[in-house]
Amino acid sequence: MSDTPPDRLSADPSSPFHDAALLERGVGIRFKGVEKNNVEEYCVSEGWVRVSVGKTRDRHGRPLTMKLQGTVEPYFRDAKGE
């Protein structure tokens, strides 16, 4: 595996940007310099993240999200690439 996270990644299994192996490895997100733990999807090149809004779900059972614009810095939580 590469030591740099992908440009875009989603936690939703139905998304074309979902990668279970990377999510299992552990990807952390710094958004505007602050660590975020509720990110559902991110895109570095477009500069946005989708964060879940509380525990609210839509009619399909997926978390409701809000899109925020700003600097996105993804990183792998493990220190070394396996």
Side-chain angles (χ1 to χ4, degrees):
M1 278 192 185
S2 173
D3 286 337
T4 58
D7 177 59
R8 187 167 178 177
L9 186 62
S10 174
D12 182 13
S14 64
S15 171
F17 301 105
H18 179 78
D19 188 342
L22 287 176
L23 292 172
E24 192 173 301
R25 181 176 173 186
V27 177
I29 302 294
R30 264 186 230 97
F31 179 67
K32 294 184 179 179
V34 178
E35 181 72 25
K36 293 286 187 184
N37 296 323
N38 59 345
V39 175
E40 295 291 324
E41 185 175 4
Y42 73 85
C43 183
V44 176
S45 62
E46 296 176 14
W48 57 263
V49 295
R50 285 200 179 274
V51 294
S52 58
V53 181
K55 296 183 183 209
T56 310
R57 301 279 178 175
D58 67 6
R59 63 183 175 195
H60 303 288
R62 295 183 300 245
L64 283 180
T65 60
M66 183 170 49
K67 188 175 184 179
L68 303 173
Q69 301 283 336
T71 307
V72 181
E73 302 170 34
Y75 63 92
F76 287 116
R77 292 189 192 272
D78 60 351
K80 60 182 167 107
E82 295 176 10

